[in-house]
Amino acid sequence: MQRVINKPDGQFTDADLDHLVKSTFVERVEFHDAIDSTNQRAMDLARNSAIRGPLLILAESQTNGRGRGTNRWWAEPGALTFTLLLDTGIPQRHLPQASLTVGLAVCEAIEGILETTEMQIKWPNDVYCQQRKLSGILIELPTTNAHLLAIGIGININNSLERAPEDLQATAVALSDVAQHEFSLTNVLVKVLNQLEARLECIGRNDGELRARWRERCLLTNRTIQMDLGTRKVSGRCRGIDDDGALLIETDSGLEVCFAGSITHF
Ligand code: BTN
């Protein structure tokens, strides 16, 4: 375990960081009180060919949290923000499935904590609770160390959205807003990591059960949606997710099979 900066009143004690290593598949934790982005840190570390995972880069706050494309990840203290750097053995062609599988693991872990509330996946990598975004996932491939994967996850836990900018209040939610009480970040993180370990093992096994689980949680299925594919926009009725993790959109000119793109309306 490595504490990069030591702050006595932080949310993670040394005992918490030890507990994370003892109770999960993570071999090492690098903890930051504040950092620009845990994903950026993971990508920098991945340039070193000696790096082996699973390494957990955990931050109490980020000054430049990254999202997909040009998105930024906003979160006040109380959120979970971390990146797992690991060798998953997942071939590149299975990457669309990796996003969905990470989202599924987050859904399942949080459902285990909340017990009653249903969580959904907004393709390709957001987790929704009660129709609002609870978690964002950003998976990046280090170019210099191709066998590694950087899995960045942000989850709103005790950072009530009451204090967030107005546009975010309408679209995002924190676990403490749903449950009306706060949670131990360490306990939530242990549950998410354990579920991630279990689910990541299923990728590449042609696992029908895994696909069934993404499909039943797809927030967009049967909605009229708009997708920006970069070079063009498509709109139509979402027909779910195919076996490879692509989103299916029934448009006036036929079925679009989308492996990448941004949902602009749903
Ligand atoms: C998105 O909503 O587009 C994805 C957001 C991903 C945010 C997490 S927070 C931890 C990790 N570090 C980052 O800079 N981003 C991811």
Side-chain angles (χ1 to χ4, degrees):
M1 184 254 294
Q2 182 186 357
R3 256 183 191 274
V4 171
I5 308 165
N6 226 327
K7 197 175 65 160
D9 59 347
Q11 311 228 28
F12 295 96
T13 62
D14 284 348
D16 287 331
L17 302 184
D18 282 340
H19 179 59
L20 280 169
V21 174
K22 285 193 187 114
S23 1
T24 69
F25 71 129
V26 160
E27 283 175 7
R28 200 159 64 84
V29 181
E30 185 186 280
F31 174 78
H32 299 258
D33 287 326
I35 194 171
D36 53 354
S37 151
T38 54
N39 264 43
Q40 184 55 52
R41 173 70 182 154
M43 299 299 269
D44 291 345
L45 285 173
R47 283 202 204 98
N48 174 354
S49 59
I51 283 283
R52 291 278 168 273
L55 165 68
L56 176 69
I57 302 160
L58 175 63
E60 216 153 272
S61 70
Q62 293 185 123
T63 52
N64 196 17
R66 294 212 293 249
R68 288 183 76 223
T70 54
N71 290 350
R72 288 277 158 260
W73 173 257
W74 178 93
E76 290 210 324
L80 261 180
T81 45
F82 62 95
T83 300
L84 257 181
L85 187 61
L86 76 172
D87 185 351
T88 56
I90 297 172
Q92 207 156 340
R93 67 179 190 284
H94 287 316
L95 274 184
Q97 301 176 33
S99 275
L100 292 165
T101 304
V102 172
L104 174 66
V106 173
C107 285
E108 291 173 333
I110 300 294
E111 258 177 22
I113 292 163
L114 284 177
E115 286 176 2
T116 50
T117 310
E118 191 183 296
M119 311 286 300
Q120 289 180 293
I121 299 172
K122 177 171 159 266
W123 184 95
N125 55 359
D126 288 338
V127 169
Y128 270 58
C129 178
Q130 300 179 345
Q131 307 292 320
R132 286 170 196 225
K133 181 164 167 172
L134 181 91
S135 167
I137 294 155
L138 178 64
I139 299 188
E140 295 188 274
L141 278 175
T143 44
T144 43
N145 218 333
H147 60 102
L148 292 175
L149 211 59
I151 302 176
I153 304 181
I155 313 177
N156 297 318
I157 308 280
N158 299 326
N159 52 319
S160 170
L161 269 287
E162 280 171 16
R163 300 184 295 268
E166 244 173 59
D167 55 327
L168 269 185
Q169 283 186 22
T171 55
V173 73
L175 214 53
S176 62
D177 294 326
V178 177
Q180 296 296 308
H181 63 84
E182 297 209 333
F183 292 83
S184 150
L185 292 187
T186 304
N187 288 350
V188 176
L189 184 50
V190 166
K191 291 203 161 68
V192 170
L193 291 171
N194 285 334
Q195 200 58 31
L196 261 177
E197 182 188 15
R199 283 307 189 184
L200 284 174
E201 273 179 19
C202 306
I203 301 181
R205 257 204 246 141
N206 204 14
D207 190 324
E209 193 259 351
L210 185 69
R211 293 174 179 138
R213 297 289 89 86
W214 317 319
R215 286 200 179 106
E216 67 192 14
R217 287 176 189 278
C218 178
L219 176 77
L220 303 175
T221 300
N222 289 328
R223 290 197 189 197
T224 300
I225 64 171
Q226 274 171 13
M227 166 94 93
D228 186 347
L229 296 172
T231 49
R232 65 198 169 93
K233 294 182 171 51
V234 294
S235 59
R237 179 66 66 107
C238 175
R239 291 298 180 207
I241 301 170
D242 79 1
D243 280 358
D244 298 319
L247 194 72
L248 303 173
I249 309 176
E250 193 178 287
T251 71
D252 288 345
S253 42
L255 191 69
E256 287 276 350
V257 180
C258 306
F259 282 93
S262 307
I263 306 292
T264 49
H265 177 82
F266 65 97

